Amino acid sequence: MMEWYQILSYFLTNSIRGFLGLYLVCGLLSARMELRRTVMISAAAAAAITALPLLSVSGAGVLGAEIILLAAASRVYLTREQTRMSLFILFFYEIAAALWEFIISSLFAIAFRVGYLARWCVSHQAMDAFWPCLTGQESSAAMVRGMEAMTEGYLNGPVGAAFPEDQLWMRFLDSGAPEHLLAVWTVRLFMLVILISAVRKRGGRELDVFRTASAIAVAGMICTVTLGSQTVIAIPEDELAMWNLLSVILMFSVLVYNLNRHYEAEKEIVRLKEEQAELLDRDYQSLNRLYSENARLFHDLHNHIELLHRHLTHGNVNEAVEYLEDLRGPVREITNSGWTGDEAVDYLIGNKTAAAQEQQIAAEVNMEFPRHTNIRSADLTAILGNLLDNALEAAKKVRGDQRFIRLTVRRIYNMLVIKVENGCEAPPVAKQGELITSKTEGGLHGWGLKSVRAAAEKYDGIVETMYEDHVFRAVVTLSFEAVNME
């Protein structure tokens, strides 16, 4: 039966392990976690897990119950599709924690065994001749008596009564013994150090999870192999074989996770490219219609000139003015669309502003675009096309003065700031830190901002969104380099 301090210690260590497990899952799966709720969930799970050994549940049963409880708790922050990956992460997280508890407890057992042998040597007469040379006769006698008293008290007390005199080191490997808590707390402190390091690095660049996990797994395998070759303590061969196998499996799990991460990233890139291609095709169709209309206008130019000449020679000035007004619309659209110098981007902006005017949405463009940069036309088209599409979709749902879209592009040294504002009926819905579409018909909706972020990342850019006083604002900041055209 465990003492009260052992129960309290296991509750605290289980709480720390549960909290770190949830933090790891949320961090790897890009889910936002609430600190207070996570602490409460971790404490509740720790209470249930601490009670299981008191009910004579085996260690494997406790481990399985903890994985299931933490996976169920993580569903608060994750989607249904991420549940399977959370189980994978938690399973190998628990294996890594148990592996390092075994390694640290074995190291403490070795240290105790070596220390116990030293105390045993001190109690013999051969050491009585050595100590006077080192410290003097009086201090030597006092030290020998003190070491003998301490050793005798430990061996004859209730703590050491369960093991023979030469096997007290085994208490460090016994999960029910108080000595085992020393290894448990050492591992927990090590885990807390990793957590603090991860939180600090997230302020700059994200912690390289693959390298950290790989280093932990490789170090665990090296330690288990080393424990199998040492002769200070006798660890059962079947137990060593089990931990050696688990350490190898842990290493392969890190590789599998890394491969899965790259696979998911490649799938995301493919989806984004498909969406970008469809959006570009849609914009191309719109631009093609505009080109057709303009081509027809220029093709019929000689007919227009002939008709205007006839009106003017017959003195029909008013008819000539009215006819010119009809022609000014498409001509003005062509001549006023040179915002960036990139034909595709300019026609895209012109197409979106024309679509806004057709739906009685006020459109405003303020452009300060640098020429001859390394920003590719396809990336700029993806960014502007998605942002303007989202702005038009939101502006259609509002009335009055809020029915507007506004595009502003400014250059600040080697930074390009793209800002798109629109009237918005209500704050956008966010899930796990990501804005989600309010549409229900499916398709590509909801991928717009992901495509914007993917294009912005190519230029070390960031995407920020905010909502205030019925105005939604999306700001994209890109870093660019000048390109010499000579």
Side-chain angles (χ1 to χ4, degrees):
M1 187 68 179
M2 289 191 296
E3 299 291 339
W4 67 268
Y5 63 87
Q6 291 177 274
I7 297 175
L8 178 61
S9 179
Y10 279 118
F11 169 75
L12 293 176
T13 54
N14 288 332
S15 298
I16 295 173
R17 184 166 63 182
F19 177 83
L20 294 176
L22 291 176
Y23 180 88
L24 178 65
V25 169
C26 292
L28 293 179
L29 300 181
S30 302
R32 287 192 175 182
M33 59 179 287
E34 299 177 12
L35 180 61
R36 181 177 299 180
R37 177 186 291 186
T38 306
V39 170
M40 295 176 61
I41 292 174
S42 303
I49 295 166
T50 305
L52 291 178
L54 302 178
L55 301 176
S56 301
V57 178
S58 65
V62 173
L63 183 64
E66 183 169 3
I67 293 173
I68 294 173
L69 285 174
L70 293 180
S74 66
R75 287 284 287 113
V76 177
Y77 308 113
L78 305 176
T79 62
R80 181 176 298 180
E81 293 77 11
Q82 294 173 317
T83 303
R84 184 165 54 184
M85 182 55 67
S86 69
L87 282 170
F88 177 86
I89 294 172
L90 287 171
F91 177 76
F92 288 103
Y93 164 75
E94 294 291 345
I95 288 181
L99 173 65
W100 277 99
E101 286 179 14
F102 165 74
I103 293 172
I104 299 300
S105 60
S106 299
L107 293 178
F108 279 129
I110 292 173
F112 175 82
R113 178 70 170 161
V114 173
Y116 172 69
L117 291 175
R119 291 195 300 273
W120 182 81
C121 292
V122 169
S123 64
H124 286 69
Q125 295 181 355
M127 296 301 294
D128 289 337
F130 173 75
W131 280 107
C133 299
L134 183 64
T135 59
Q137 184 65 36
E138 295 181 359
S139 60
S140 171
M143 180 173 293
V144 170
R145 287 194 300 271
M147 296 294 288
E148 288 177 344
M150 179 169 33
T151 304
E152 182 179 0
Y154 187 84
L155 296 178
N156 297 330
V159 174
F163 289 91
E165 182 176 323
D166 60 343
Q167 295 182 5
L168 287 175
W169 56 268
M170 295 180 63
R171 295 189 60 83
F172 290 93
L173 301 177
D174 182 7
S175 59
E179 288 84 351
H180 185 71
L181 293 176
L182 185 60
V184 174
W185 275 107
T186 301
V187 173
R188 296 301 180 272
L189 292 176
F190 178 69
M191 294 163 68
L192 286 174
V193 169
I194 295 179
L195 173 63
I196 294 172
S197 176
V199 171
R200 287 183 177 178
K201 288 187 178 182
R202 275 185 176 274
R205 295 189 65 86
E206 186 176 354
L207 179 67
D208 193 334
V209 179
F210 176 68
R211 290 185 179 180
T212 304
S214 299
I216 293 174
V218 171
M221 188 185 69
I222 294 174
C223 289
T224 53
V225 171
T226 305
L227 287 174
S229 61
Q230 55 82 34
T231 57
V232 178
I233 60 175
I235 303 176
E237 291 186 1
D238 55 345
E239 186 174 3
L240 273 174
M242 179 191 71
W243 288 116
N244 279 320
L245 177 62
L246 289 177
S247 64
V248 173
I249 294 175
L250 185 62
M251 282 187 56
F252 278 104
S253 71
V254 175
L255 294 175
V256 170
Y257 169 78
N258 190 54
L259 291 174
N260 180 77
R261 185 179 63 173
H262 286 296
Y263 173 70
E264 292 296 331
E266 289 176 359
K267 285 204 309 183
E268 183 82 2
I269 292 172
V270 170
R271 285 196 294 263
L272 291 175
K273 286 184 176 180
E274 290 177 352
E275 180 209 358
Q276 187 179 42
E278 186 166 336
L279 291 172
L280 289 174
D281 181 69
R282 185 187 63 189
D283 291 331
Y284 170 78
Q285 297 298 334
S286 300
L287 296 177
N288 191 41
R289 286 194 300 270
L290 183 59
Y291 269 121
S292 299
E293 294 175 1
N294 295 334
R296 187 173 60 253
L297 172 66
F298 286 111
H299 181 267
D300 298 336
L301 184 59
H302 67 281
N303 294 326
H304 299 311
I305 293 175
E306 182 66 28
L307 185 57
L308 285 171
H309 182 267
R310 182 177 302 175
H311 280 307
L312 292 174
T313 54
H314 288 78
N316 299 328
V317 178
N318 293 333
E319 288 81 354
V321 171
E322 291 178 1
Y323 193 80
L324 283 173
E325 285 295 331
D326 293 337
L327 297 177
R328 285 182 64 192
V331 174
R332 184 169 54 244
E333 185 176 354
I334 298 172
T335 56
N336 291 341
S337 61
W339 288 288
T340 66
D342 187 304
E343 291 186 4
V345 176
D346 288 341
Y347 274 108
L348 173 68
I349 297 174
N351 187 27
K352 302 305 179 185
T353 54
Q357 292 171 2
E358 290 177 1
Q359 301 175 49
Q360 289 77 48
I361 298 174
E364 180 182 346
V365 178
N366 301 303
M367 187 70 61
E368 183 184 319
F369 189 81
R371 304 299 175 93
H372 309 312
T373 68
N374 64 326
I375 300 178
R376 297 174 62 243
S377 177
D379 296 326
L380 191 58
T381 301
I383 293 172
L384 292 175
N386 282 290
L387 293 182
L388 291 173
D389 281 341
N390 292 342
L392 284 170
E393 190 65 34
K396 286 193 300 185
K397 301 177 182 179
V398 297
R399 298 179 180 179
D401 296 339
Q402 297 299 322
R403 199 174 175 85
F404 74 91
I405 64 171
R406 185 182 301 120
L407 169 63
T408 304
V409 179
R410 289 286 181 266
R411 172 183 178 176
I412 303 176
Y413 298 105
N414 288 333
M415 304 293 293
L416 185 67
V417 181
I418 302 172
K419 180 170 65 175
V420 176
E421 300 170 291
N422 61 268
C424 194
E425 188 176 27
V429 181
K431 184 176 182 180
Q432 299 175 6
E434 294 287 342
L435 299 180
I436 60 176
T437 179
S438 59
K439 294 186 175 183
T440 58
E441 63 268 28
L444 292 172
H445 303 308
W447 288 95
L449 281 179
K450 290 186 178 180
S451 181
V452 172
R453 287 193 175 92
E457 287 175 358
K458 298 179 182 179
Y459 307 94
D460 296 327
I462 58 174
V463 180
E464 297 176 308
T465 58
M466 60 203 77
Y467 172 85
E468 184 179 5
D469 296 333
H470 296 285
V471 176
F472 180 79
R473 184 178 297 108
V475 180
V476 181
T477 305
L478 308 176
S479 299
F480 69 87
E481 298 177 358
V483 176
N484 189 359
M485 301 300 295
E486 294 181 358

